[in-house]
Amino acid sequence: MRRGRSEAGLCLFARTPASTAGRLGAAIFALALWLGSGAAGFAQQIEVLPETWGGRHLEDPLPKEIRFLTDSDFPPFNYVDEKGELTGFNIDMARAICSALNIICTIKAQPWDTLLTALEKDEADAIIASHAITEANRQQLAFTDPYYYTPARFVVRSDAEFDDMSPEGLAERRVGVVKGTAHEAYLRDFFAGAVIVTFESDSDARSALRFGKIDALFGDGLGLMYWLNGASSRRCCQFRGGVFTETHYFGEGVGIAVATQDSKLAAVLSEGITLARKNGDYEELLLRYFPMSLY
């Protein structure tokens, strides 16, 4: 599966350990210029100072330390900022989890294609690098509960005079989608009355919507969010309608990966995710890293 859109179209921004081809690409993230860039081999350890843990009791003793791995070229999730510091949503999520659990953590960045091997060699305890929770990945890894999803969404021109994004509301309207993705499969299964127009790339589909060649565009909500908020959209368009998160088409979300035999650590980290949601840290991170609501 490619780091960007897979053949099956699962989770545009979720990744698997199989390959690194198509790693997001400059087209999706001109944003990377704003966030800063860094070499893939960059490595930095960050001591995460714990705060008081206010979570539920876990039966087994908590680990004294958790060693996280990530990589450094997947903005806004993990990247090196203009000061040369490792940062991003995944980095701060690891910090929030460890703070909530009152556990000291280290976070180290190294190239994407070495992460799984390092975990297998016990050079780390967990990987927080936007791995998709899929059956294929479960053959090599165990996962926490998901800590984010990338839902599918409809986008229309801001001057569009229709609001009904149901199959009935989009009947006979021209709906764009990237060819060969789960988003196309979903449209063909549930929006058969629409005139489905396929495109070779996200940029082609977005350009067609901006210039009014299609009535709506269906795709990955996270990628569309950055496009809508960026200069290339020219503020032409907006989300309309609700979100689509059917796991059969759009995956089970993104989790923290641990070794297959380490289910106890996965449970501890899942509890940390829950606590970070309860104490408000998770909401603050969403507001910090994502320019508009995905949901």
Side-chain angles (χ1 to χ4, degrees), residues 60-105:
D60 296 305
L62 297 178
K64 294 181 179 179
E65 179 182 1
I66 299 174
R67 299 167 298 163
F68 281 100
L69 278 184
T70 189
D71 74 347
S72 62
D73 64 344
F74 194 58
F77 296 96
N78 17 275
Y79 63 97
V80 179
D81 66 15
E82 64 278 2
K83 297 180 181 179
E85 296 178 354
L86 184 64
T87 190
F89 178 78
N90 284 332
I91 309 306
D92 284 341
M93 188 68 201
R95 290 171 173 160
I97 289 168
C98 293
S99 175
L101 292 170
N102 197 19
I103 295 174
I104 291 290
C105 294

Side-chain angles (χ1 to χ4, degrees), residues 80-139:
V80 179
D81 66 15
E82 64 278 2
K83 297 180 181 179
E85 296 178 354
L86 184 64
T87 190
F89 178 78
N90 284 332
I91 309 306
D92 284 341
M93 188 68 201
R95 290 171 173 160
I97 289 168
C98 293
S99 175
L101 292 170
N102 197 19
I103 295 174
I104 291 290
C105 294
T106 59
I107 307 172
K108 182 180 178 181
Q110 61 186 55
W112 164 260
D113 57 4
T114 69
L115 296 178
L116 183 56
T117 300
L119 187 67
E120 292 171 345
K121 291 181 177 179
D122 196 31
E123 296 172 358
D125 303 306
I127 301 172
I128 186 162
S130 294
H131 281 80
I133 303 172
T134 66
E135 286 304 319
N137 281 348
R138 285 198 183 98
Q139 301 303 311

Side-chain angles (χ1 to χ4, degrees), residues 60-260:
D60 296 305
L62 297 178
K64 294 181 179 179
E65 179 182 1
I66 299 174
R67 299 167 298 163
F68 281 100
L69 278 184
T70 189
D71 74 347
S72 62
D73 64 344
F74 194 58
F77 296 96
N78 17 275
Y79 63 97
V80 179
D81 66 15
E82 64 278 2
K83 297 180 181 179
E85 296 178 354
L86 184 64
T87 190
F89 178 78
N90 284 332
I91 309 306
D92 284 341
M93 188 68 201
R95 290 171 173 160
I97 289 168
C98 293
S99 175
L101 292 170
N102 197 19
I103 295 174
I104 291 290
C105 294
T106 59
I107 307 172
K108 182 180 178 181
Q110 61 186 55
W112 164 260
D113 57 4
T114 69
L115 296 178
L116 183 56
T117 300
L119 187 67
E120 292 171 345
K121 291 181 177 179
D122 196 31
E123 296 172 358
D125 303 306
I127 301 172
I128 186 162
S130 294
H131 281 80
I133 303 172
T134 66
E135 286 304 319
N137 281 348
R138 285 198 183 98
Q139 301 303 311
Q140 306 175 76
L141 300 161
F143 285 95
T144 63
D145 295 341
Y147 64 97
Y148 75 86
Y149 297 85
T150 55
R153 300 237 19 205
F154 282 107
V155 172
V156 301
R157 286 183 53 84
S158 299
D159 57 5
E161 295 180 353
F162 61 94
D163 295 310
D164 186 356
M165 309 308 291
S166 68
E168 296 76 20
L170 291 176
E172 301 185 4
R173 294 193 183 275
R174 299 162 299 165
V175 180
V177 69
V178 176
K179 183 167 60 177
T181 62
H183 302 98
E184 181 190 3
Y186 189 83
L187 285 180
R188 295 196 183 282
D189 286 346
F190 297 103
F191 289 79
V195 178
I196 298 172
V197 183
T198 61
F199 296 88
E200 293 295 328
S201 69
D202 291 301
S203 59
D204 289 344
R206 294 167 186 174
S207 178
L209 180 64
R210 186 163 75 87
F211 290 106
K213 296 178 181 179
I214 53 177
D215 300 309
L217 173 61
F218 187 63
D220 176 88
L222 192 54
L224 289 170
M225 176 185 68
Y226 279 105
W227 177 65
L228 291 174
N229 201 61
S232 63
S233 71
R234 307 291 177 88
R235 304 293 181 182
C236 69
C237 306
Q238 62 185 223
F239 284 132
R240 196 162 292 180
V243 301
F244 298 83
T245 58
E246 284 80 356
T247 58
H248 177 71
Y249 294 88
F250 309 122
E252 300 176 49
V254 172
I256 300 170
V258 301
T260 53

Side-chain angles (χ1 to χ4, degrees), residues 21-37:
R23 295 168 70 119
L24 278 185
I28 292 177
F29 276 124
L31 175 68
L33 297 176
W34 168 63
L35 293 173
S37 60

